[in-house]
């Protein structure tokens, strides 16, 4: 992926990563400061900027990922295609494209903004809290997936009906239904009425 001023600021000259910083925001999404990633997720949580990506194949099926078991937050659960946090000063759209490539090895097609949603979701297993102002994006995936096994345990393309069955039978991230429901209007516009989203 290309280096941007925001991403260049987050790796040192010897290739080791600095502490990951998040952008703190107020209720309207205006930046008010920064915090270290883990600290921002400690209860009760600090409101910070995030993004969620929903990618679909040509048949209108949603790409899900099961988070790798080594993740410190919500390991082993199913979630949307990709989610994460922009670096301070990084545009959410750029962060969404960057992180999708880092996690899944693909560059989204027709990636478009799908609104924002603010939520507060505690994770019952880890005790961490997602206080997020989340920028939503929808798009297509038209390349072969090349998941990073340290980030992604498994992937699956599902129809709306298959998602309902899977969601009833397997653990999903605490934020999944909130972000999916908020993105549904843009998802329907992208996939068309026959896809059932």
């Amino acid at each position: 992926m290309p280096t941007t001023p925001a991403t260049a600021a987050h790796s040192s000259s010897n290739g080791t990563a600095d502490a990951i910083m998040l952008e703190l925001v107020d209720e309207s999404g205006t930046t008010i400061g920064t915090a270290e990633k883990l600290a921002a997720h400690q209860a009760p949580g600090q409101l910070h900027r995030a993004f969620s990506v929903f990618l679909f194949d040509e048949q209108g099926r949603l790409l899900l990922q099961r988070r790798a078991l080594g993740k410190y937050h919500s390991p082993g659960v199913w979630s949307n295609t990709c989610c994460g946090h922009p670096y301070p000063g990084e545009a959410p759209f750029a962060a969404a494209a960057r992180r999708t490539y880092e996690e899944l090895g693909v560059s989204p097609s027709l990636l478009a903004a799908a609104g924002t949603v603010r939520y507060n979701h505690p994770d019952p297993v880890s005790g961490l809290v997602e206080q997020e102002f989340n920028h939503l994006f929808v798009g297509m995936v038209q390349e072969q997936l090349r998941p990073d096994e340290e980030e992604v345990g498994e992937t699956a393309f599902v129809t709306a009906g298959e998602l309902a069955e899977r969601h009833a039978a397997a653990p999903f991230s605490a934020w999944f239904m909130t972000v999916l429901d908020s993105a549904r209007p843009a998802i329907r516009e992208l996939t068309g009425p026959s896809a059932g989203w």
Side-chain angles (χ1 to χ4, degrees), residues 1 7 85-87 90 93-103:
M1 288 296 287
T7 59
H85 310 92
Y87 293 130
E90 183 181 23
F93 183 93
R98 171 183 59 79
R99 198 70 189 129
T100 300
Y101 186 83
E102 291 171 354
E103 290 190 8

Side-chain angles (χ1 to χ4, degrees), residues 176-190:
F176 176 75
M177 288 308 298
T178 299
V179 292
L180 174 64
D181 287 344
S182 297
R184 280 187 196 273
I187 290 170
R188 291 185 187 116
E189 187 175 332
L190 177 71

Side-chain angles (χ1 to χ4, degrees), residues 71-130:
K71 303 273 281 186
Y72 79 92
H73 191 341
S74 303
V77 301
W78 288 93
S79 199
N80 49 293
T81 307
C82 180
C83 55
H85 310 92
Y87 293 130
E90 183 181 23
F93 183 93
R98 171 183 59 79
R99 198 70 189 129
T100 300
Y101 186 83
E102 291 171 354
E103 290 190 8
L104 294 160
V106 296
S107 296
S109 304
L110 306 175
L111 191 65
T116 60
V117 61
R118 191 262 196 252
Y119 54 77
N120 174 4
H121 286 304
D123 176 31
V125 177
S126 68
L128 299 174
V129 179
E130 290 288 8

Side-chain angles (χ1 to χ4, degrees), residues 4 8 23 26 41 43 65 96 107 109 113-114 122 127 139 162 165 178 182-183 186:
T4 68
E23 210 170 70
D26 65 16
H41 289 86
Q65 69 155 279
S107 296
S109 304
E162 289 166 346
E165 294 172 8
T178 299
S182 297

Side-chain angles (χ1 to χ4, degrees), residues 14 42 58 72 85 105 147 152 167 169 182 195:
N14 65 5
Q42 299 286 348
E58 300 286 351
Y72 79 92
H85 310 92
V152 180
H167 191 262
S182 297

Side-chain angles (χ1 to χ4, degrees), residues 19-175:
I20 297 174
M21 301 299 289
L22 306 185
E23 210 170 70
L24 300 180
V25 300
D26 65 16
E27 293 292 337
S28 66
T30 301
T31 302
I32 58 171
T34 61
E36 191 277 326
K37 182 178 179 181
L38 187 56
H41 289 86
Q42 299 286 348
Q46 298 176 73
L47 184 59
H48 58 274
R49 194 176 309 284
F51 64 83
S52 291
V53 178
F54 296 86
L55 297 184
F56 295 81
D57 67 8
E58 300 286 351
Q59 289 77 48
R61 298 179 302 168
L62 171 61
L63 173 59
L64 297 176
Q65 69 155 279
R66 187 173 61 80
R67 294 165 62 85
L69 292 174
K71 303 273 281 186
Y72 79 92
H73 191 341
S74 303
V77 301
W78 288 93
S79 199
N80 49 293
T81 307
C82 180
C83 55
H85 310 92
Y87 293 130
E90 183 181 23
F93 183 93
R98 171 183 59 79
R99 198 70 189 129
T100 300
Y101 186 83
E102 291 171 354
E103 290 190 8
L104 294 160
V106 296
S107 296
S109 304
L110 306 175
L111 191 65
T116 60
V117 61
R118 191 262 196 252
Y119 54 77
N120 174 4
H121 286 304
D123 176 31
V125 177
S126 68
L128 299 174
V129 179
E130 290 288 8
Q131 286 265 21
E132 293 189 331
F133 189 94
N134 198 305
H135 297 256
L136 308 172
F137 298 94
V138 300
M140 305 287 292
V141 59
Q142 298 173 307
E143 303 174 48
Q144 181 74 31
L145 299 177
R146 298 183 308 281
D148 177 348
E149 62 185 27
E150 291 187 9
E151 298 286 344
V152 180
E154 188 178 351
T155 60
F157 283 96
V158 297
T159 64
E162 289 166 346
L163 174 61
E165 294 172 8
R166 187 180 290 258
H167 191 262
F172 272 71
S173 64
W175 60 87

